[in-house]
């Protein structure tokens, strides 16, 4: 009997140790981890520079509250601001908290309440971010949602134009719908959103919780496109496993988050921020990002070649190290069979296998993973 609420459909695996791309279970089985903690461990398990930064901060202090000045918060905020082209940062504890802050700021800054999001989006599980999410399964059983959200189909220009009006505070969008099936936004859709946000005095919020911090080969995924958001949100890869989120906004928005308007007891915790600073120092180097792009192209090409004759595979899509393999059937059986083969991957909806390897993955590890995926899907092909 467990004393934990059964909120997670847990795998029959308990990690004992983890390093780099590998997890060793308490049963002694070794797994190649292409989940990276659901897109969190962009530098892999047990990365030395992150570990050293955390240990150094632990030996100084690990909490004093946000009543005190913090040089480490200032340094890390500057790195995020410089990389994003935005001016002000609020540190939270998670992606949902970062999105919650973005929703609050957009409503306060514009004096309006309606926020447009997309069907099949995912923005979190707090009450506001659950309401922002365009998936009914996330909301089932929780009663009436906040009424200020409107949902439109992803990449549907006409629907988006019809949704944005003078009552719209913001549009909140993902560059790649992670939980929604690894669907990538197109430039025309982003152009439409930006144009009509400007026309109606609405803010553009880009949820970079899963796509940010180098995951797509850029500091943030919106930088693959000709667009400049008002607010972006970050978490997951930001702390490489330490709990942290960040809302990053245009400098002019700072006046709307004055003292007392928002806050978090643990937001900007010095241990988590020390991890984030180490992560950004490593990932935001041009050489690192260039190598990430190369390995992402290598992975996608290897998958396309290995699965070109697999009748089970409908499409391989994604951006950078965020790849989905859409299948003809439910993928839960595939997940289990890949685990038997020693490879951990995720799902993104019922029929999509989701690959989120650490950005430090090697070509050799990619080759091993692709062979395992080919083996499992090829078996299904002949059944």
């Amino acid at each position: 009997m467990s004393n934990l609420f059964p909120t997670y459909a847990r795998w029959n695996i308990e990690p004992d140790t983890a390093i780099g791309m590998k997890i060793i279970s308490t049963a002694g089985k070794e797994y190649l981890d292409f989940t990276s903690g659901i897109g969190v461990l962009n530098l892999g398990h047990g990365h030395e520079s992150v570990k050293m930064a955390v240990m150094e901060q632990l030996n100084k202090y690990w909490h004093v509250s946000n009543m005190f000045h913090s040089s480490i918060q200032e340094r890390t905020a500057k790195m995020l601001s410089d990389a994003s082209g935005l001016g002000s940062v609020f540190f939270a504890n998670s992606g949902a908290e970062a999105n919650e802050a973005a929703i609050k700021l957009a409503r306060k800054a514009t004096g309006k309440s309606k926020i447009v999001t997309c069907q099949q989006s995912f923005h979190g599980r707090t009450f506001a971010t659950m309401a922002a999410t365009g998936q009914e399964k996330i909301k089932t059983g929780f009663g009436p949602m906040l009424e200020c959200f409107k949902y439109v189909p992803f990449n549907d220009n006409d629907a988006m134009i019809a949704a944005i009006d003078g009552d719209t505070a913001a549009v909140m969008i993902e560059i790649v719908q992670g939980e929604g099936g690894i669907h990538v936004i197109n430039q025309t859709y982003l152009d439409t959103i930006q144009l009509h946000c400007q026309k109606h005095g609405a803010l553009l919020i880009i949820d970079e919780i899963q796509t940010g911090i180098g995951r797509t080969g850029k500091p943030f995924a919106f930088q693959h496109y000709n667009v400049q958001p008002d607010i972006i949100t970050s978490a997951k890869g930001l702390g490489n496993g330490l709990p942290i989120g960040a809302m990053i906004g245009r400098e002019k928005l700072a006046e709307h988050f004055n003292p007392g308007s928002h806050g978090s007891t643990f937001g900007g915790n010095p241990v988590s921020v020390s991890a984030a600073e180490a992560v950004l120092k490593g990932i935001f180097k041009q050489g690192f990002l260039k190598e990430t792009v190369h390995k992402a192209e290598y992975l996608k090409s290897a998958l396309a070649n290995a699965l070109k004759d697999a009748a089970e595979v409908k499409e391989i899509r994604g951006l950078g190290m965020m790849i989905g393999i859409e299948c003809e059937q439910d993928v839960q059986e595939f997940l289990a069979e890949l685990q038997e083969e020693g490879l951990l991957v995720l799902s993104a909806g019922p029929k999509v296998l989701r690959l989120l390897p650490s950005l430090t993955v090697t070509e050799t590890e990619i080759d091993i993973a692709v062979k395992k995926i080919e083996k499992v899907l090829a078996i299904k092909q002949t059944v």
Side-chain angles (χ1 to χ4, degrees):
M1 175 182 172
S2 174
N3 292 113
L4 297 170
F5 275 103
T7 49
Y8 305 104
R10 296 182 190 271
W11 296 338
N12 190 28
I13 302 169
E14 182 176 355
D16 181 56
T17 58
I19 190 71
M21 288 289 297
K22 295 179 181 178
I23 293 176
I24 312 298
S25 75
T26 54
K29 186 175 176 67
E30 182 175 296
Y31 298 90
L32 186 58
D33 182 12
F34 266 54
T35 75
S36 61
I38 316 183
V40 167
L41 296 153
N42 286 3
L43 290 176
H45 295 278
H47 195 273
E48 194 63 27
S49 66
V50 178
K51 187 190 305 183
M52 293 297 292
V54 167
M55 291 302 297
E56 182 180 348
Q57 185 59 49
L58 280 169
N59 287 327
K60 293 179 177 179
Y61 63 92
W62 54 74
H63 180 76
V64 292
S65 91
N66 283 308
M67 300 298 292
F68 294 83
H69 287 284
S70 173
S71 294
I72 193 170
Q73 283 188 10
E74 292 285 358
R75 293 196 305 270
T76 308
K78 186 176 189 308
M79 293 172 75
L80 289 169
S81 294
D82 290 346
S84 65
L86 301 174
S88 299
V89 176
F90 174 83
F91 286 115
N93 300 289
S94 67
E97 284 190 16
N99 281 340
E100 189 93 19
I103 291 166
K104 287 180 66 174
L105 178 57
R107 292 180 59 160
K108 192 169 188 288
T110 63
K112 298 180 284 187
S113 59
K114 186 173 84 171
I115 294 178
V116 180
T117 68
C118 284
Q119 295 169 9
Q120 296 307 116
S121 61
F122 182 83
H123 298 293
R125 294 182 184 271
T126 65
F127 227 86
T129 58
M130 177 172 62
T133 293
Q135 299 187 51
E136 286 304 312
K137 67 180 181 180
I138 302 297
K139 309 170 190 181
T140 301
F142 294 105
M145 293 289 109
L146 297 177
E147 297 179 353
C148 60
F149 293 95
K150 182 174 179 60
Y151 317 100
V152 300
F154 193 62
N155 280 335
D156 185 325
N157 285 8
D158 292 339
M160 182 59 75
I161 291 169
I164 305 172
D165 57 25
D167 296 324
T168 304
V171 174
M172 178 180 265
I173 196 84
E174 296 164 280
I175 297 298
V176 183
Q177 288 192 326
E179 305 296 324
I182 313 297
H183 296 286
V184 183
I185 204 165
N186 65 55
Q187 181 67 62
T188 302
Y189 193 54
L190 266 179
D191 289 343
T192 297
I193 294 170
Q194 182 158 261
L195 175 64
H196 287 270
C197 280
Q198 292 171 350
K199 178 179 177 181
H200 293 287
L203 301 182
L204 173 55
I205 303 170
I206 297 184
D207 179 338
E208 293 262 11
I209 304 304
Q210 192 166 147
T211 56
I213 318 300
R215 171 59 54 184
T216 68
K218 298 276 189 182
F220 298 100
F222 79 85
Q223 292 165 331
H224 290 278
Y225 298 82
N226 181 26
V227 65
Q228 184 57 57
D230 298 290
I231 299 171
I232 64 174
T233 53
S234 177
K236 287 191 180 290
L238 181 57
N240 210 64
L242 275 289
I244 187 170
M247 179 195 67
I248 312 161
R250 289 187 183 274
E251 189 173 356
K252 68 179 183 180
L253 295 172
E255 64 184 88
H256 300 288
F257 256 21
N258 54 311
S261 61
H262 192 54
S264 170
T265 297
F266 296 112
N269 172 271
V271 177
S272 292
V273 176
S274 70
E277 183 181 32
V279 166
L280 299 182
K281 284 180 179 178
I283 289 179
F284 284 177
K285 292 178 180 176
Q286 283 303 310
F288 185 93
L289 292 171
K290 184 177 180 180
E291 183 66 17
T292 297
V293 170
H294 168 76
K295 289 187 288 189
E297 291 172 350
Y298 182 87
L299 171 57
K300 200 167 183 180
S301 175
L303 286 168
N305 184 60
L307 302 176
K308 64 181 183 296
D309 297 322
E312 180 56 45
V313 177
K314 290 181 65 176
E315 184 182 15
I316 300 169
R317 58 178 179 259
L319 185 63
M321 288 291 192
M322 196 172 177
I323 294 175
I325 305 171
E326 184 174 357
C327 298
E328 295 285 353
Q329 67 179 64
D330 189 289
V331 298
Q332 289 305 309
E333 185 179 344
F334 297 156
L335 291 178
E337 292 178 3
L338 286 167
Q339 288 175 12
E340 286 296 313
E341 293 292 327
L343 177 65
L344 303 178
V345 302
L346 299 160
S347 61
K351 294 186 177 182
V352 178
L353 291 173
R354 177 170 37 155
L355 277 57
L356 298 171
S358 298
L359 310 185
T360 52
V361 66
T362 66
E363 290 186 5
T364 298
E365 290 166 333
I366 288 172
D367 290 339
I368 293 169
V370 170
K371 286 179 181 178
K372 292 178 186 296
I373 293 168
E374 180 184 16
K375 178 181 178 181
V376 167
L377 295 184
I379 288 172
K380 288 298 163 190
Q381 180 183 348
T382 59
V383 172

Coordinates of all heavy atoms in Angstrom, one line a residue, residues 171-199:
V171 N -2.6 36.5 -26.3 CA -2.6 35.2 -26.9 C -1.4 34.4 -26.3 O -0.3 34.9 -26.3 CB -2.5 35.2 -28.4 CG1 -2.3 33.8 -29.0 CG2 -3.6 36.0 -29.0
M172 N -1.7 33.2 -25.8 CA -0.7 32.3 -25.2 C -0.5 31.1 -26.1 O -1.5 30.4 -26.4 CB -1.1 31.9 -23.8 CG -0.1 30.9 -23.2 SD -0.6 30.4 -21.5 CE 0.3 31.7 -20.5
I173 N 0.7 30.9 -26.6 CA 0.9 30.0 -27.7 C 2.2 29.2 -27.4 O 3.1 29.7 -26.8 CB 1.1 30.7 -29.1 CG1 0.9 29.7 -30.2 CG2 2.3 31.5 -29.2 CD1 -0.5 29.4 -30.6
E174 N 2.3 27.9 -27.9 CA 3.5 27.1 -27.9 C 4.1 27.1 -29.3 O 3.3 27.0 -30.3 CB 3.2 25.7 -27.5 CG 2.6 25.5 -26.0 CD 2.0 24.2 -25.8 OE1 0.8 24.0 -26.2 OE2 2.7 23.3 -25.3
I175 N 5.4 27.1 -29.4 CA 6.0 27.0 -30.7 C 5.9 25.5 -31.2 O 5.7 25.2 -32.4 CB 7.5 27.4 -30.7 CG1 7.6 28.9 -30.3 CG2 8.2 27.1 -32.0 CD1 6.9 29.8 -31.3
V176 N 6.1 24.6 -30.3 CA 5.8 23.2 -30.5 C 4.9 22.7 -29.5 O 5.2 22.8 -28.3 CB 7.1 22.3 -30.5 CG1 6.8 20.9 -30.9 CG2 8.2 22.9 -31.5
Q177 N 3.7 22.1 -29.9 CA 2.8 21.6 -28.9 C 3.4 20.2 -28.4 O 3.4 19.2 -29.1 CB 1.4 21.4 -29.5 CG 0.7 22.6 -29.7 CD -0.8 22.4 -30.0 OE1 -1.1 21.4 -30.7 NE2 -1.6 23.3 -29.6
G178 N 4.0 20.3 -27.2 CA 4.7 19.1 -26.7 C 3.7 18.0 -26.2 O 3.6 16.9 -26.8
E179 N 2.9 18.3 -25.2 CA 1.9 17.3 -24.8 C 0.8 17.0 -25.8 O 0.1 16.0 -25.8 CB 1.2 17.8 -23.5 CG 2.2 18.2 -22.4 CD 3.0 17.0 -21.9 OE1 2.4 15.9 -21.8 OE2 4.2 17.2 -21.5
G180 N 0.6 18.0 -26.7 CA -0.4 17.9 -27.7 C -0.1 17.1 -28.9 O -0.9 17.0 -29.9
G181 N 1.1 16.5 -29.0 CA 1.5 15.6 -30.1 C 2.7 16.0 -31.0 O 2.9 15.5 -32.1
I182 N 3.5 16.9 -30.5 CA 4.7 17.4 -31.2 C 4.2 18.0 -32.6 O 4.7 17.6 -33.7 CB 5.7 16.3 -31.4 CG1 6.0 15.6 -30.1 CG2 7.0 17.0 -31.9 CD1 6.6 16.4 -29.0
H183 N 3.4 19.0 -32.5 CA 3.0 19.8 -33.7 C 3.7 21.1 -33.7 O 3.7 21.8 -32.7 CB 1.5 20.0 -33.7 CG 0.7 18.7 -33.8 ND1 0.6 18.0 -34.9 CD2 0.0 18.0 -32.8 CE1 -0.1 17.0 -34.8 NE2 -0.5 16.9 -33.5
V184 N 4.3 21.5 -34.8 CA 5.2 22.7 -34.9 C 4.4 23.8 -35.5 O 3.7 23.6 -36.5 CB 6.4 22.4 -35.7 CG1 7.3 23.6 -35.8 CG2 7.2 21.2 -35.2
I185 N 4.5 25.0 -34.9 CA 3.8 26.2 -35.4 C 4.4 26.6 -36.8 O 5.6 26.3 -37.1 CB 3.9 27.3 -34.4 CG1 2.7 28.3 -34.6 CG2 5.2 28.0 -34.5 CD1 2.6 29.3 -33.4
N186 N 3.6 27.3 -37.6 CA 4.1 27.8 -38.9 C 4.2 29.3 -38.8 O 3.5 30.0 -38.0 CB 3.3 27.3 -40.1 CG 1.9 27.8 -40.1 OD1 1.6 29.0 -40.1 ND2 0.9 26.9 -40.2
Q187 N 5.1 29.8 -39.7 CA 5.4 31.3 -39.7 C 4.2 32.1 -40.0 O 3.9 33.2 -39.3 CB 6.5 31.6 -40.7 CG 6.9 33.1 -40.7 CD 7.6 33.5 -39.4 OE1 8.6 33.0 -39.1 NE2 7.0 34.5 -38.7
T188 N 3.3 31.7 -40.9 CA 2.1 32.5 -41.2 C 1.2 32.6 -40.0 O 0.6 33.7 -39.8 CB 1.4 31.8 -42.4 OG1 2.3 31.7 -43.5 CG2 0.2 32.6 -42.8
Y189 N 1.1 31.6 -39.3 CA 0.2 31.6 -38.1 C 0.8 32.6 -37.0 O 0.0 33.4 -36.5 CB 0.1 30.2 -37.5 CG -1.0 30.0 -36.5 CD1 -2.3 30.3 -36.7 CD2 -0.6 29.5 -35.2 CE1 -3.3 30.1 -35.8 CE2 -1.6 29.2 -34.3 CZ -2.9 29.5 -34.6 OH -3.9 29.3 -33.6
L190 N 2.1 32.5 -36.9 CA 2.7 33.5 -35.9 C 2.6 34.9 -36.4 O 2.4 35.8 -35.6 CB 4.2 33.1 -35.7 CG 4.5 32.2 -34.5 CD1 6.0 31.9 -34.5 CD2 4.1 32.8 -33.2
D191 N 2.8 35.1 -37.7 CA 2.6 36.5 -38.3 C 1.2 37.0 -38.0 O 1.0 38.1 -37.6 CB 2.8 36.4 -39.8 CG 4.3 36.2 -40.1 OD1 5.1 36.4 -39.3 OD2 4.5 35.9 -41.3
T192 N 0.2 36.1 -38.2 CA -1.2 36.5 -37.9 C -1.4 36.9 -36.5 O -2.1 37.9 -36.2 CB -2.1 35.3 -38.3 OG1 -2.0 35.0 -39.7 CG2 -3.6 35.6 -38.0
I193 N -0.9 36.1 -35.6 CA -1.1 36.3 -34.2 C -0.4 37.7 -33.8 O -1.1 38.5 -33.1 CB -0.4 35.2 -33.3 CG1 -1.2 33.9 -33.5 CG2 -0.4 35.6 -31.8 CD1 -0.5 32.7 -33.0
Q194 N 0.8 37.9 -34.2 CA 1.5 39.1 -33.8 C 0.8 40.3 -34.4 O 0.6 41.3 -33.7 CB 3.0 39.1 -34.3 CG 3.8 40.3 -33.9 CD 5.3 40.0 -34.0 OE1 5.9 39.8 -32.9 NE2 5.9 40.0 -35.1
L195 N 0.4 40.3 -35.7 CA -0.3 41.4 -36.3 C -1.6 41.7 -35.6 O -1.8 42.9 -35.3 CB -0.6 41.0 -37.8 CG -1.4 42.1 -38.5 CD1 -0.7 43.4 -38.7 CD2 -1.8 41.5 -39.9
H196 N -2.4 40.8 -35.2 CA -3.7 41.0 -34.6 C -3.6 41.3 -33.1 O -4.4 42.1 -32.6 CB -4.6 39.9 -34.9 CG -5.1 39.9 -36.3 ND1 -6.2 40.6 -36.7 CD2 -4.6 39.4 -37.4 CE1 -6.4 40.4 -38.0 NE2 -5.4 39.7 -38.5
C197 N -2.5 40.8 -32.5 CA -2.2 41.3 -31.1 C -1.9 42.8 -31.1 O -2.4 43.5 -30.3 CB -1.1 40.5 -30.5 SG -1.5 38.9 -29.9
Q198 N -1.1 43.2 -32.0 CA -0.7 44.6 -32.1 C -1.9 45.5 -32.4 O -2.1 46.6 -31.9 CB 0.4 44.8 -33.1 CG 1.7 44.2 -32.7 CD 2.8 44.2 -33.8 OE1 2.5 44.4 -35.0 NE2 4.0 43.8 -33.4
K199 N -2.7 45.0 -33.3 CA -3.9 45.7 -33.8 C -4.9 46.0 -32.7 O -5.5 47.0 -32.5 CB -4.6 44.9 -34.9 CG -5.9 45.6 -35.4 CD -6.5 44.7 -36.6 CE -7.8 45.3 -37.0 NZ -8.4 44.5 -38.1

